[in-house]
Amino acid sequence: MKLADNKATLSFSNGSPSVDLPVYSGSIGPDVIDIRKLYAQTGMFTYDPGFLSTAATQSAITYIDGDKGELLYRGYPIEQLATTSNYLDVCHLLLKGELPNSTESADFHKLVTNHTMVNEQMQFFLRGFRRDAHPMAILTGLVGGLSAFYHDSTDINNPKHREIAAIRMIAKMPTLVAMSYKYGVGQPYMYPQNNLSYAGNFLRMMFGTPCEEYKVSPVLERALDRIFILHADHEQNASTSTVRLCGSSGTNPFAAIAAGVACLWGPAHGGANEACLNMLEDIQKMGGVAKVGQFMEQVKDKSSNVKLMGFGHRVYKNYDPRAKLMQETCNEVLAEMGLENDPLFKLAKALEKIALEDDYFVQRKLYPNVDFYSGIVQRAIGIPVNLFTGIFALARTVGWIAQLNEMIGDPEYKIGRPRQLYSGSVQRDVQPIDQR
Ligand code: SDX
């Protein structure tokens, strides 16, 4: 970041001395006002619950222009990466800052492939869960549990440890997600197959059985790889900020990523894809497209607490570029599966059309986000609804790790420790219980 030819002056109406605050510029996007010395200079904190106007870090990984609906990974538009690259090359880009050449790509793919197995003991963790446990509950436990197996890569301050931990987590997440699915359906775990692609291997671990050869569908393989790319990273979202704050204590990378998995599970965040599919199924049961108007009235009635899941975004005040690409993938997969007339896809498109023309949504700049169509395409691939967020976690693992490593690699980083505006009781003395 560089000092802007501008500065901010904070003045107070009560005559307190004004304070000059430096302004910094990045390469693109909003400038920042550096308030790091504000408390020392004024004895006051800034107040920004939900971080609506707060840059918690500088980063060179992902850039979002919410007004234009633009998303760049290391400067490359998501539209180009999703249509010309593959997920593991995008992982290389996010982790190392550059797309690989053909040799680097082959080496990186081989490195990840050679780490896809998990320790045989991991399967005994799963046995402790009920068979009907939510896969995200299982995954939160399994990812945290990885730190019990890899003591040779838990020192977050050792670059070599960070490197191998990154590869292990990217490689093992598909295996762990597939194991949490197989455990739920009572089928045997499928070991990774090194001659398959990252997405193809995941499909086989999910839907293959030891009883017969599993044939990977190239259309589903490409669709899943694109879904992974679209979910790979997204600036300082809630789960990434969780990983950074958790990692800032120096804890091991597996524990920090497990914290990200837990945060992503929430329906306001990564859990929205599961909630969106359930919402579409509920509207379908109510009567489908004919009932959309009635449902939208509920959404606009604040007292109903009903939200249009898969819509709205803290940053995008325009169409989420990932939603557009996800809708295209929907079309491809539904056509491949002979589901062009899938009622839920038709319902989603009707819902989107009505929402985009409705003043309530237009005024609030509410557009479809990445979660609106992702559930429909995952359902068409055969992925159960309660595993949608697990797929999101699988894909976002590389983003979490890249952001964590960027933070730890910054010599200026400190443990994150926000302050507060205290509104509780002033000091008082404990009274004996018979006088309370
Ligand atoms: C992800 O941050 C990221 O980058 C996240 C993510 C990533 O890749 O990491 O993009 C992934 O989490 C996408 C978002 C998935 N969540 C959902 O689809 C859940 C539904 N959306 C909302 O819960 C909401 O839009 C949020 C949480 C996504 C954003 O909330 P904000 O920024 O806090 O906005 P807000 O709640 O203040 O909403 C502004 C207004 C409010 O109305 P008013 O009080 O101004 O009258 O819009 C309304 C809200 O009530 N509103 C909605 C709505 N979203 C916002 N009304 C109906 N349906 C919705 N979905």
Side-chain angles (χ1 to χ4, degrees):
M1 69 185 185
K2 58 184 184 297
L3 208 49
D5 56 0
N6 182 14
K7 72 172 186 298
T9 302
L10 191 55
S11 58
F12 299 95
S13 58
N14 64 2
S16 305
S18 62
V19 175
D20 285 343
L21 298 165
V23 174
Y24 288 99
S25 303
S27 37
I28 41 178
D31 287 351
V32 296
I33 300 170
D34 184 347
I35 57 164
R36 282 175 287 186
K37 295 196 170 61
L38 183 76
Y39 179 56
Q41 289 169 319
T42 68
M44 284 191 269
F45 302 133
T46 57
Y47 185 65
D48 186 17
F51 310 120
L52 289 133
S53 304
T54 293
T57 182
Q58 69 172 306
S59 176
I61 299 172
T62 293
Y63 176 73
I64 304 172
D65 184 320
D67 295 328
K68 295 184 192 155
E70 284 173 2
L71 169 59
L72 310 177
Y73 289 168
R74 298 282 189 183
Y76 294 107
I78 190 70
E79 294 80 358
Q80 293 180 29
L81 291 170
T83 50
T84 65
S85 190
N86 63 69
Y87 178 69
L88 285 185
D89 284 357
V90 168
C91 287
H92 184 285
L93 172 67
L94 290 169
L95 289 172
K96 299 171 184 285
E98 296 297 339
L99 281 167
N101 60 34
S102 47
T103 311
E104 291 161 336
S105 175
D107 292 347
F108 188 77
H109 286 229
K110 190 165 185 305
L111 183 61
V112 170
T113 300
N114 290 343
H115 284 275
T116 47
M117 278 208 301
V118 294
N119 187 299
E120 274 297 276
Q121 288 295 100
M122 287 297 277
Q123 61 184 296
F124 303 114
F125 276 166
L126 283 133
R127 284 190 189 165
F129 291 104
R130 287 169 41 146
R131 288 277 179 179
D132 62 353
H134 193 291
M136 285 301 280
I138 297 176
L139 208 54
T140 309
L142 292 181
V143 175
L146 284 174
S147 53
F149 292 91
Y150 298 108
H151 302 292
D152 63 341
S153 63
T154 53
D155 174 2
I156 194 76
N157 293 307
N158 177 329
K160 280 277 161 243
H161 282 209
R162 290 205 299 267
E163 169 121 21
I164 182 60
I167 296 300
R168 279 174 166 153
M169 278 187 275
I170 292 165
K172 297 177 195 307
M173 277 301 265
T175 312
L176 295 177
V177 173
M179 286 174 78
S180 62
Y181 168 65
K182 287 297 198 190
Y183 183 71
V185 296
Q187 285 184 1
Y189 305 127
M190 295 294 284
Y191 285 97
Q193 194 87 25
N194 290 354
N195 62 343
L196 295 175
S197 73
Y198 188 83
N201 180 43
F202 178 65
L203 284 167
R204 181 179 168 279
M205 290 192 291
M206 280 285 294
F207 303 119
T209 70
C211 315
E212 58 191 16
E213 202 56 34
Y214 177 80
K215 192 159 170 18
V216 175
S217 148
V219 172
L220 298 191
E221 182 180 28
R222 192 173 57 250
L224 205 50
D225 193 77
R226 181 183 289 189
I227 289 170
F228 293 160
I229 290 173
L230 294 178
H231 288 86
D233 192 49
H234 212 239
E235 207 220 57
Q236 304 310 316
N237 59 84
S239 52
T240 297
S241 301
T242 300
V243 168
R244 280 178 172 258
L245 190 56
C246 183
S248 72
S249 71
T251 190
N252 71 77
F254 304 103
I257 300 307
V261 174
C263 174
L264 186 77
W265 192 4
H269 191 14
N273 51 20
E274 176 178 354
C276 180
L277 209 286
N278 291 334
M279 172 192 75
L280 292 171
E281 286 185 334
D282 289 347
I283 298 171
Q284 194 59 20
K285 281 183 210 131
M286 277 161 58
V289 177
K291 291 293 179 185
V292 166
Q294 181 186 324
F295 176 77
M296 294 302 263
E297 285 318 305
Q298 258 191 305
V299 168
K300 294 188 279 188
D301 167 12
K302 285 281 162 69
S303 61
S304 73
N305 263 335
V306 172
K307 285 205 186 287
L308 182 55
M309 301 313 279
F311 257 72
H313 199 277
R314 173 62 57 77
V315 177
Y316 288 122
K317 301 308 170 191
N318 199 327
Y319 214 102
D320 182 335
R322 302 168 298 175
K324 275 195 192 105
L325 290 158
M326 199 64 84
Q327 194 183 57
E328 282 167 27
T329 306
C330 247
N331 281 318
E332 285 166 24
V333 170
L334 292 172
E336 165 74 8
M337 310 297 281
L339 298 169
E340 295 89 331
N341 296 320
D342 177 58
L344 284 195
F345 190 42
K346 285 183 155 197
L347 176 60
K349 287 199 275 191
L351 210 46
E352 175 190 341
K353 186 173 181 310
I354 291 172
L356 295 183
E357 290 163 0
D358 186 298
D359 213 32
Y360 179 94
F361 286 79
V362 172
Q363 263 176 18
R364 292 169 177 79
K365 298 185 177 180
L366 301 176
Y367 291 86
N369 59 50
V370 66
D371 292 310
F372 190 62
Y373 288 104
S374 70
I376 299 166
V377 61
Q378 291 184 70
R379 176 174 160 274
I381 291 173
I383 293 165
V385 180
N386 68 2
L387 205 72
F388 289 175
T389 310
I391 305 287
F392 194 151
L394 182 167
R396 183 56 58 90
T397 293
V398 63
W400 289 329
I401 293 168
Q403 298 271 350
L404 175 64
N405 286 350
E406 181 181 63
M407 176 187 76
I408 300 292
D410 173 358
E412 277 193 358
Y413 103 89
K414 293 176 180 307
I415 186 167
R417 205 299 185 193
R419 301 302 302 273
Q420 64 179 14
L421 173 68
Y422 179 68
S423 56
S425 300
V426 295
Q427 184 167 325
R428 52 183 172 160
D429 299 324
V430 174
Q431 300 303 317
I433 191 161
D434 57 6
Q435 292 173 33
R436 284 179 214 161

